Amino acid sequence: MSAEPRVELAAIDRSRLPAHVGIIMDGNGRWAKQRGLPRSAGHTAGEHALFDTVEGALELGLRYLTVYAFSTENWRRPPSEVKFLMNFNRDLLLRRADDLDERRVRVRFIGRRGRPVPRRLVELMEATEARTAHHDRLTLQIAFNYGGRAELVDAARALAEDAVAGRLRPDRITERSLHARLYAPSAPDVDLLVRTSGEQRLSNFLLWEAAYAELVFTETLWPDFDRYALYAAVAEFQRRARRFGRV
Ligand code: IPE
Ligand code: IPE
Ligand code: MG
């Protein structure tokens, strides 16, 4: 289904990899609709795409990959779809935790963990994080009940608490001190942000972290994405000239 040319691993310059790749996994519903299937079938089909992409990230030697699995806005979907996604993500973690652990992938979740995220799912997220915390080959960050604005609000609250407690002077607040209060402050900035399905927007993903990211949009619907599509995005990244405000 992909219109993109297939890019092989050999075409990538391994000395110039993005330090952190973010992916907005979009288009599951449209993939299902094209086949006359319910939207849930698109989410189910997206699991294979995700794990082939993780395999590609491992083959490339990427260190940080963050995928958008459920946004703070996705609660606005029909209750039946929200319920499906909660159960699906729980089952996916149960199915894939061994595999990720064996591949030495460190799994982390970014996003708000309180209600309405089911308690059982949060417990599984935390168990998976604890179990894989010692790995350092690839860090897979799963953005779940994640919103870039919510993350900045949470960081602002943490700064305010420190200020009120007298641990931080407001005039000493810097980009560094705010960054230190994000969900995953040890992750490097996002160098490459990929969105599938032809939509060209951020949808509240990694607003701070992707401030200087190269954006790559592909028409491929998420269930059709795979490691070769990831290589194509990295190849595109390697063709870009990054200036960071300089000339
Ligand atoms: C992305 O696919 C998955 C989630 C947002 C959970 P969509 O479900 O948004 O699929 P489209 O955009 O409706 O095709
Ligand atoms: C963004 O996709 C969220 C995820 C991929 C999890 P959406 O499909 O929810 O984004 P919008 O609503 O089209 O902007
Ligand atoms: Mg969508």
Side-chain angles (χ1 to χ4, degrees), residues 26-27 30 77 195:
D26 198 14
R30 279 162 283 167
R77 293 189 178 201
R195 182 169 190 150

Side-chain angles (χ1 to χ4, degrees), residues 64-132:
Y64 281 85
L65 175 66
T66 301
V67 295
Y68 208 2
F70 193 88
S71 75
T72 48
E73 287 70 38
N74 287 147
W75 298 106
R76 297 176 187 153
R77 293 189 178 201
S80 59
E81 182 168 348
V82 169
K83 186 159 188 244
F84 176 87
L85 287 167
M86 294 303 137
N87 291 333
F88 174 68
N89 280 288
R90 180 200 60 207
D91 294 347
L92 181 147
L93 265 185
L94 286 169
R95 269 195 301 280
R96 299 288 186 161
D98 285 350
D99 200 41
L100 290 165
D101 191 22
E102 274 163 27
R103 284 177 160 64
R104 293 191 288 121
V105 174
R106 174 169 60 171
V107 182
R108 276 182 186 162
F109 289 86
I110 57 170
R112 288 186 172 164
R113 297 183 185 203
R115 286 190 335 121
V117 183
R119 187 67 222 139
R120 169 89 182 105
L121 178 54
V122 175
E123 282 166 10
L124 257 175
M125 288 172 173
E126 290 176 353
T128 309
E129 286 180 325
R131 176 174 174 193
T132 62

Side-chain angles (χ1 to χ4, degrees), residues 18-21 63-64 108 141 179 184-191 209:
H20 185 171
V21 176
R63 304 301 304 277
Y64 281 85
R108 276 182 186 162
Q141 303 196 126
H179 185 102
S186 61
D189 281 352
V190 175
D191 284 326
E209 298 85 341

Side-chain angles (χ1 to χ4, degrees), residues 7-195:
V7 170
E8 300 292 336
L9 196 55
I12 308 293
D13 176 354
R14 309 287 192 96
S15 70
R16 291 192 302 121
L17 290 174
H20 185 171
V21 176
I23 306 183
I24 303 176
M25 309 185 287
D26 198 14
N28 296 351
R30 279 162 283 167
W31 183 94
K33 194 170 178 210
Q34 285 177 355
R35 287 162 179 76
L37 299 169
R39 293 179 54 82
S40 57
H43 301 313
T44 304
E47 178 175 344
H48 181 265
L50 174 59
F51 286 90
D52 201 66
T53 301
V54 168
E55 209 53 47
L58 289 167
E59 287 190 356
L60 270 174
L62 289 185
R63 304 301 304 277
Y64 281 85
L65 175 66
T66 301
V67 295
Y68 208 2
F70 193 88
S71 75
T72 48
E73 287 70 38
N74 287 147
W75 298 106
R76 297 176 187 153
R77 293 189 178 201
S80 59
E81 182 168 348
V82 169
K83 186 159 188 244
F84 176 87
L85 287 167
M86 294 303 137
N87 291 333
F88 174 68
N89 280 288
R90 180 200 60 207
D91 294 347
L92 181 147
L93 265 185
L94 286 169
R95 269 195 301 280
R96 299 288 186 161
D98 285 350
D99 200 41
L100 290 165
D101 191 22
E102 274 163 27
R103 284 177 160 64
R104 293 191 288 121
V105 174
R106 174 169 60 171
V107 182
R108 276 182 186 162
F109 289 86
I110 57 170
R112 288 186 172 164
R113 297 183 185 203
R115 286 190 335 121
V117 183
R119 187 67 222 139
R120 169 89 182 105
L121 178 54
V122 175
E123 282 166 10
L124 257 175
M125 288 172 173
E126 290 176 353
T128 309
E129 286 180 325
R131 176 174 174 193
T132 62
H134 59 290
H135 295 318
D136 65 355
R137 191 174 167 206
L138 168 70
T139 299
L140 173 65
Q141 303 196 126
I142 303 176
F144 195 90
N145 192 22
Y146 175 87
R149 288 180 172 179
E151 180 176 31
L152 292 172
V153 167
D154 290 349
R157 283 183 188 159
L159 287 170
E161 276 167 20
D162 286 344
V164 167
R167 291 187 291 265
L168 180 67
R169 278 175 44 184
D171 62 330
R172 293 274 173 83
I173 294 174
T174 58
E175 289 187 11
R176 200 190 169 97
S177 48
L178 193 149
H179 185 102
R181 288 159 179 86
L182 297 176
Y183 295 141
S186 61
D189 281 352
V190 175
D191 284 326
L192 167 61
L193 181 62
V194 180
R195 182 169 190 150

